Amino acid sequence: MDDIFKALNDETRRQILTLLSEKGSLTASEIHEEFEMSKPSISNHLNILRNAGLVTSEKKGQYIHYTLHTTVLQDLLVWMIKLNK
Amino acid sequence: MDDIFKALNDETRRQILTLLSEKGSLTASEIHEEFEMSKPSISNHLNILRNAGLVTSEKKGQYIHYTLHTTVLQDLLVWMIKLNK
DNA sequence: TGTCTAATTAGTTATTTACCTAATTGTATA
DNA sequence: TATACAATTAGGTAAATAACTAATTAGACA
């Protein structure tokens, strides 16, 4: 849970998730094009999102495709529901 | 949204929310008793939770009672649902 | 093989965060 | 009034975070 909350606590990372939600799979470079930020910084954000399980990555040749993975958000939902009991 | 994610990105603050969920309203001192942390630190956490709208506070004499306020979690839920579209 | 491109790793820096102790504010009550 | 207690504010420090540039790794292809 800690990794999820950490990953979501950044506007750039939330925008990346929204972007992937709208566009489907994108490469790191395609994601980079949408932000005014260096590629290494974007790469770091993608790594944090992957550690949290919020995106998956698949290597195709020299490209790495990132995809939104919302399954882990169920944990967050369960946490919210417990709080409301 | 930023304040909510920020507030939730800390284990102590999440535990405070869970505690309030279980026990109802508590004073800052009562909350402090449950943690091995100084009162000013707990006070600071409570302030962050209040800024996010996750708790409300009511002063009764020299005591301040803190209560869980989950309404703002609806914003989080909406955000999660949009991501899944 | 050499060069281009995609992406990450390494290393650095400024800012933010979470904690502490000491001091202050405000209320209750002997 | 003075003492005790609840809670916060003030001030300071160590660790974590987010950003950058430079360097490296690895695949594509002429």
Side-chain angles (χ1 to χ4, degrees):
Chain A
M1 285 299 284
D2 209 64
D3 285 344
I4 298 174
F5 282 115
K6 179 191 164 178
L8 296 179
N9 186 35
D10 183 274
E11 179 59 27
T12 300
R13 287 195 289 272
R14 292 196 297 270
Q15 286 178 4
I16 290 173
L17 294 177
T18 300
L19 185 68
L20 289 172
S21 160
E22 292 166 356
K23 303 270 181 82
S25 290
L26 295 174
T27 67
S29 283
E30 285 170 335
I31 293 167
H32 167 242
E33 284 166 15
E34 300 283 336
F35 296 90
E36 304 206 341
M37 192 178 287
S38 71
K39 281 188 76 171
S41 294
I42 294 295
S43 183
N44 183 49
H45 284 309
L46 289 169
N47 198 38
I48 290 169
L49 289 169
R50 189 172 45 202
N51 284 343
L54 285 161
V55 303
T56 53
S57 61
E58 191 183 357
K59 190 160 189 173
K60 290 181 184 173
Q62 71 191 123
Y63 297 90
I64 298 178
H65 293 261
Y66 285 90
T67 310
L68 180 65
H69 192 73
T70 55
T71 312
V72 290
L73 290 180
Q74 291 185 1
D75 296 340
L76 180 50
L77 187 59
V78 167
W79 182 85
M80 285 163 63
I81 290 167
K82 277 185 184 167
L83 209 59
N84 262 305
K85 276 185 184 166
Chain B
M1 284 300 285
D2 210 62
D3 284 344
I4 298 175
F5 282 117
K6 178 191 167 180
L8 296 178
N9 186 33
D10 182 274
E11 179 59 28
T12 300
R13 288 195 288 272
R14 293 196 297 270
Q15 286 178 5
I16 290 173
L17 295 177
T18 301
L19 185 68
L20 288 173
S21 161
E22 292 166 357
K23 304 267 181 82
S25 289
L26 294 173
T27 67
S29 283
E30 286 170 335
I31 294 167
H32 166 244
E33 285 166 14
E34 301 282 337
F35 296 90
E36 304 205 341
M37 191 178 285
S38 71
K39 282 189 76 171
S41 294
I42 294 295
S43 183
N44 183 49
H45 283 309
L46 290 169
N47 198 39
I48 290 167
L49 289 170
R50 190 173 43 201
N51 284 343
L54 286 161
V55 303
T56 53
S57 61
E58 191 184 356
K59 189 160 189 173
K60 291 182 186 172
Q62 72 192 125
Y63 298 89
I64 298 178
H65 294 261
Y66 285 90
T67 311
L68 181 64
H69 192 73
T70 56
T71 312
V72 290
L73 290 180
Q74 290 184 0
D75 296 340
L76 181 50
L77 187 59
V78 167
W79 183 86
M80 284 164 63
I81 289 167
K82 277 185 184 166
L83 209 58
N84 262 303
K85 278 183 184 166

